Amino acid sequence: MKPSKTIQDFCKNSDLQRASVSVVNLGCARNLVDSQIILGQLRHNGHHIVDMDSSDVAIVNTCGFIEDAKKESLDVIVDLLKLKKQGKLKKVIVAGCLAQRYGSQLAEEFKDIDAIIGVQRLQSHGVPDQELLTPSHFAYVKICESCYNQCSFCIIPKIKGKFISRTMESVLDEIKQLDARGVKEIHMIGQDITAYGMDIYRKNSLAALLKRVIAVTDNIQWIRLLYTYPAHITDELIEVIAREEKICNYIDMPLQHINDRLLKAMNRKITRQQTIDLVKKVRGLIPRVCIRTAFIVGMPTESQDDFEELLQFVRDMRFEKVGGFVYSREEGTLAYDMPHQVPESVKKERLDSLMTVQQDISRSLQERHIGETLKVIIDEEQKDEKNIYLGRSEYDAPEVDGLVYVHSKRKLAAGDFVMVKVRDATEYDLVGDVI
Ligand code: SF4
């Protein structure tokens, strides 16, 4: 296997100039941006970007931070190598987090892989060539990479390396390009976007960046913040979100737990009381804010009482959106060697209980919208259903949140903003009519 730093190097070294290439993207929105940059650079170097069926070279941009994600990535690698064996592919390249974390093991185990390329290092200057993989009306903008926080259960900082922010000029230039292309909604992403600028500007600069983003956007009407870190959320940031119409009243802030001893064991740098005060402050300053959060159950040493405390916290705080995860024991993390690892069956039970409690809360919070008129962005027409469109309100991020089923006699297009009168709600979705 020829060592290659980047995919372009590999193609150059392998006489694969102008080869047709396809990418399988796995994992999170941050990985999706990496795949867009890989494709942008390949197209720039004269390669044809095609579907898997007609490609010479298949690239899988893997995810590798927890067990389930690793398994999914390995399954795709095996499938691609089968296609290569059948002569349907010439080359298979494995990129991304799994490749970065287990490069040598993968090379050992899968001799037919042609190149193993780790993660693409974020460029802090300039605007990377990108082949958008999202629908043309919305885009993810990665403003920084990795994080400082060293949560004891998380391997990402080890995979992604040193925290790096893009310069404001680099981010603003990219957003100007997206705006000129008619993009209507952008999602600001990173591992911890609330650390933005701590490296290059020596201070938390997300609020300052947002003020400048607002000033350069015309077509873009919605700016959404994904992956904030609770302990880094500043009053200035909350005020900007509250004040600026274009910034969605939506905050994605994984809390992970609420028990003080476990927050310490997770190295989350925030206490139970500080968390409660933060949530109250956010709700107090941003009326009707939608808080998306996430919790890990089954962290080593988590007792039944600790879990009950988390469950009661979720009942009391009534978050709009909750993602639940079972603790995944990852070698190379601090928590890996912690005593009192919780049995898988108990983790599963706790996750089921958490999501059952949240389901009732989610339904009742969704029902609050019945009778209201909401601004909705249309993503697509529902297949095999006339006059029904799939959309999202400012309270719904793509892929991870619910939908608004929009009934409209007039033709709508992806990217249209419409006002919708809500007439029904389920746990996660809304139903309404265009007005
Ligand atoms: S904030 Fe914590 S969980 Fe998130 S990427 Fe950083 S170390 Fe991992």
Side-chain angles (χ1 to χ4, degrees):
M1 179 187 314
K2 289 196 185 116
S4 302
K5 280 210 199 61
T6 67
I7 289 170
Q8 296 83 300
D9 290 352
F10 171 76
C11 291
K12 222 178 287 146
N13 305 346
S14 315
D15 314 323
L16 282 172
Q17 276 89 342
R18 306 198 179 292
S20 60
V21 181
S22 62
V23 167
V24 180
N25 181 69
L26 302 174
C28 64
R30 298 155 296 197
N31 229 26
L32 185 89
V33 170
D34 290 353
S35 295
Q36 295 179 168
I37 294 171
I38 291 170
L39 288 172
Q41 290 159 347
L42 286 165
R43 185 182 289 285
H44 184 78
N45 292 318
H47 293 277
H48 308 293
I49 311 301
V50 296
D51 292 341
M52 185 63 70
D53 307 347
S54 48
S55 64
D56 300 321
V57 179
I59 303 168
V60 52
N61 192 17
T62 60
C63 177
F65 83 119
I66 56 172
E67 216 43 48
D68 294 354
K70 291 190 275 187
K71 192 175 170 319
E72 184 193 17
S73 296
L74 288 169
D75 292 347
V76 171
I77 293 170
V78 169
D79 292 347
L80 293 178
L81 291 177
K82 268 195 206 125
L83 291 175
K84 184 183 173 190
K85 232 192 190 73
Q86 296 158 0
K88 294 181 180 148
L89 280 174
K90 289 200 182 89
K91 303 284 182 190
V92 172
I93 300 176
V94 178
C97 295
L98 190 80
Q100 183 76 27
R101 195 174 172 192
Y102 300 108
S104 50
Q105 291 97 319
L106 287 170
E108 195 49 42
E109 196 172 335
F110 301 102
K111 301 273 188 264
D112 293 340
I113 295 175
D114 296 280
I116 293 178
I117 316 274
V119 292
Q120 309 295 303
R121 192 76 183 133
L122 186 73
Q123 302 305 314
S124 58
H125 296 275
V127 178
D129 262 346
Q130 287 196 59
E131 193 79 14
L132 281 191
L133 292 171
T134 51
S136 60
H137 61 280
F138 75 79
Y140 295 102
V141 178
K142 191 192 279 190
I143 63 173
C144 52
E145 184 94 83
S146 197
C147 81
Y148 292 107
N149 307 321
Q150 303 296 333
C151 300
S152 62
F153 53 81
C154 182
I155 195 67
I156 294 174
K158 281 213 172 116
I159 294 175
K160 294 290 186 175
K162 202 161 151 294
F163 178 79
I164 181 171
S165 300
R166 292 171 61 190
T167 62
M168 287 205 191
E169 289 63 35
S170 159
V171 175
L172 293 170
D173 288 347
E174 180 181 347
I175 291 174
K176 282 184 224 164
Q177 286 178 15
L178 292 169
D179 192 79
R181 286 169 74 154
V183 167
K184 301 286 184 64
E185 178 190 21
I186 55 171
H187 311 279
M188 312 282 271
I189 62 172
Q191 265 73 30
D192 170 8
I193 65 169
T194 40
Y196 174 76
M198 285 198 194
D199 51 340
I200 52 177
Y201 304 122
R202 297 267 165 269
K203 60 184 164 86
N204 185 318
S205 311
L206 180 57
L209 173 65
L210 288 170
K211 290 173 193 161
R212 295 186 63 186
V213 169
I214 301 275
V216 301
T217 49
D218 187 16
N219 285 316
I220 291 170
Q221 295 182 33
W222 276 356
I223 299 161
R224 190 184 307 277
L225 306 183
L226 298 177
Y227 313 108
T228 71
Y229 184 75
H232 290 159
I233 292 179
T234 61
D235 293 358
E236 192 195 5
L237 178 62
I238 297 171
E239 276 140 30
V240 168
I241 299 170
R243 191 180 55 244
E244 297 295 344
E245 181 75 25
K246 283 192 175 184
I247 302 179
C248 297
N249 279 355
Y250 178 100
I251 291 196
D252 168 34
M253 67 176 185
L255 295 174
Q256 309 299 11
H257 215 286
I258 194 59
N259 169 272
D260 274 323
R261 189 181 53 71
L262 280 165
L263 286 170
K264 207 161 177 30
M266 288 175 161
N267 192 26
R268 292 292 290 177
K269 304 181 185 68
I270 195 168
T271 65
R272 173 186 170 89
Q273 194 52 51
Q274 288 166 335
T275 303
I276 293 168
D277 296 346
L278 174 63
V279 173
K280 288 190 174 151
K281 183 192 285 183
V282 167
R283 284 182 169 159
L285 293 171
I286 312 174
R288 299 175 56 76
V289 67
C290 169
I291 297 180
R292 157 169 271 283
T293 191
F295 297 105
I296 292 176
V297 297
M299 175 75 183
T301 74
E302 183 189 60
S303 67
Q304 190 58 29
D305 287 353
D306 300 334
F307 175 66
E308 293 298 337
E309 182 184 345
L310 174 63
L311 220 45
Q312 193 52 45
F313 173 68
V314 169
R315 288 193 195 94
D316 297 344
M317 300 310 268
R318 297 174 62 77
F319 294 105
E320 288 72 17
K321 321 268 180 187
V322 169
F325 299 88
V326 294
Y327 166 73
S328 179
R329 191 181 183 197
E330 295 299 324
E331 75 274 0
T333 64
L334 278 177
Y336 184 83
D337 298 315
M338 281 183 187
H340 310 302
Q341 298 279 333
V342 177
E344 290 303 319
S345 56
V346 175
K347 291 183 200 172
K348 188 81 190 55
E349 274 165 33
R350 289 178 183 171
L351 181 64
D352 292 349
S353 315
L354 175 70
M355 297 321 285
T356 305
V357 166
Q358 180 57 27
Q359 215 170 10
D360 297 340
I361 293 169
S362 185
R363 185 182 307 108
S364 71
L365 293 176
Q366 287 283 89
E367 284 165 355
R368 285 182 318 180
H369 294 300
I370 295 177
E372 284 182 357
T373 298
L374 292 179
K375 183 177 179 179
V376 169
I377 189 167
I378 299 299
D379 286 323
E380 59 186 317
E381 184 159 11
Q382 186 163 5
K383 294 191 179 46
D384 322 326
E385 289 277 357
K386 232 171 148 321
N387 302 334
I388 301 182
Y389 297 82
L390 307 182
R392 289 173 290 108
S393 74
E394 68 174 317
Y395 309 127
D396 303 302
E399 311 284 334
V400 291
D401 293 328
L403 295 171
V404 181
Y405 290 83
V406 179
H407 292 247
S408 172
K409 293 211 171 30
R410 67 182 160 91
K411 188 88 185 123
L412 302 176
D416 284 355
F417 280 102
V418 290
M419 299 311 289
V420 174
K421 177 108 176 157
V422 178
R423 61 181 153 84
D424 200 0
T426 66
E427 289 95 340
Y428 307 114
D429 304 321
L430 299 175
V431 179
D433 307 288
V434 158
I435 56 170

